Amino acid sequence: MTKRTKTPRSKPTTLFDTWSREWFRVRDVIGPGYFAGRAFSPALAYVLVLGLYVGSGYLHGTVAAAVSLLTGASYADTYTYEGLWRSVGWIVLAVTVWVMVTRLLLPAPSSGPHHVTQRRDATLALFLYPVATLIGTALMRLLGSLLGYDPEFPSVDHPSGEYIAASVASSAAAGFREEVFLLALPVLLLRCARRGWTEIVVVLAVLRLSFHIYYGAAVIGMLPWAVAAVFLFRYTQSVWPLIAAHSLWDLGASALTFGGDLGELALLWHMLAFGGCAWLLLGKVSRERELSEPVNVTGSEQRLLSGSHSA
């Protein structure tokens, strides 16, 4: 009498399995040799990071935010036609600097441990970033309500056409300036100095929140957004989806502020972000399930596959 054994059944792929194995798997390829031929000192790395912070205008922005918080002053003096052209210049400079870095300083996929980012990874970051921003904004407003005030961006009550044009240009430039000069380049510099990811997250989150202190103490609610930016860049090694998501978010905020009834269309960006995340993640799970399902073949097909022939 032979003992019958059950054929093991393949376990279906779950959403959590897919996330942990593919989407959110740590890809720590941004190491000390990723950006330069040799690692350099932490002191030099921090000097360069602070130089980017000052040189890209965010130290001035932090001082202006502190003055606005203490005195209630608006940002009307910065939103001029001169400021508009400065925003255009920041976009051109950020694109030029990042293209030069990626073309001249980052290793080619064949000559180093550089991970070739899959297209769907960058697309997922494009949709996840605004979701993280929305969560941070909701937390900030919740903290503001608990502290007894409404955290809002300081602006004038009756904006002129010049103010609106410069404000929209500043919103478009925000993603380019912040994600290149306060995220991508600092990450590469600090990793080149062998700094750990925990330290990098803390330092860059502090820098990111510093010039948003016009929101008051509730700005700490934006911490998930600042942290998510670092992890999304670490995962994809691609800054362009973060730039696009950030600038689109700020342009949507400008549309809500200055667009009147038409400004409500900016809410479509939030819906697209959640819908895009769901479509990509669930679609990835369905593809994983198709690959994991066993193929059922008939006896004759099995004989053909095994190479046996019958007369």
Side-chain angles (χ1 to χ4, degrees):
M1 181 175 179
T2 59
K3 183 179 179 180
R4 300 181 61 183
T5 58
K6 295 183 179 180
T7 303
R9 300 178 62 185
S10 60
K11 182 181 177 181
T13 305
T14 64
L15 189 64
F16 180 77
D17 292 334
T18 302
W19 288 0
S20 61
R21 185 172 62 254
E22 291 292 333
W23 291 112
F24 299 145
R25 182 181 58 191
V26 174
R27 293 175 178 171
D28 195 3
V29 299
I30 307 180
Y34 187 86
F35 179 54
R38 61 181 179 86
F40 45 81
S41 67
L44 177 58
Y46 276 107
V47 167
L48 294 174
V49 169
L50 290 177
L52 289 170
Y53 177 70
V54 175
S56 56
Y58 285 110
L59 177 60
H60 178 270
T62 300
V63 173
V67 170
S68 175
L69 179 64
L70 295 175
T71 65
S74 68
Y75 279 20
D77 57 337
T78 62
Y79 289 142
T80 62
Y81 287 129
E82 181 182 355
L84 185 152
W85 290 112
R86 279 201 303 269
S87 296
V88 174
W90 280 119
I91 293 175
V92 174
L93 180 62
V95 171
T96 302
V97 168
W98 187 247
V99 169
M100 289 178 63
V101 168
T102 53
R103 295 295 183 184
L104 300 179
L105 300 178
L106 294 187
S110 58
S111 62
H114 180 62
H115 174 77
V116 181
T117 305
Q118 298 180 24
R119 184 177 298 275
R120 62 172 179 268
D121 296 337
T123 307
L124 181 64
L126 174 66
F127 291 118
L128 274 179
Y129 197 40
V131 172
T133 309
L134 184 62
I135 292 173
T137 303
L139 287 176
M140 182 181 68
R141 295 199 174 277
L142 176 61
L143 287 176
S145 63
L146 294 176
L147 295 173
Y149 75 99
D150 186 17
E152 290 185 351
F153 181 82
S155 59
V156 298
D157 295 330
H158 303 288
S160 63
E162 180 181 18
Y163 182 96
I164 293 174
S167 178
V168 171
S170 177
S171 297
F176 293 87
R177 288 176 66 190
E178 290 187 41
E179 307 308 333
V180 170
F181 298 120
L182 292 186
L183 173 68
L185 289 178
V187 164
L188 297 179
L189 291 169
L190 292 173
R191 286 300 288 161
C192 217
R194 301 184 184 276
R195 297 295 90 191
W197 283 105
T198 301
E199 179 182 335
I200 291 174
V201 168
V202 172
V203 170
L204 297 191
V206 170
L207 292 182
R208 182 76 71 114
L209 297 184
S210 64
F211 52 91
H212 290 95
I213 58 173
Y214 44 72
Y215 288 125
V219 73
I220 196 66
M222 296 296 293
L223 190 59
W225 161 69
V227 172
V230 178
F231 279 100
L232 287 173
F233 179 67
R234 176 188 181 181
Y235 175 70
T236 63
Q237 297 96 55
S238 176
V239 75
W240 299 115
L242 306 182
I243 290 175
H246 190 153
S247 292
L248 285 172
W249 178 278
D250 283 11
L251 286 171
S254 295
L256 284 172
T257 303
F258 306 118
D261 295 335
L262 292 177
E264 298 297 330
L265 293 175
L267 296 176
L268 289 175
W269 174 226
H270 304 158
M271 298 173 62
L272 287 173
F274 281 100
C277 286
W279 174 62
L280 288 169
L281 291 173
L282 294 176
K284 182 67 171 63
V285 172
S286 66
R287 288 192 296 271
E288 287 289 330
R289 284 176 176 168
E290 289 177 1
L291 294 175
S292 63
E293 289 178 355
V295 180
N296 296 321
V297 295
T298 63
S300 59
E301 290 173 336
Q302 288 180 352
R303 287 193 298 272
L304 288 174
L305 290 173
S306 61
S308 61
H309 301 279
S310 59

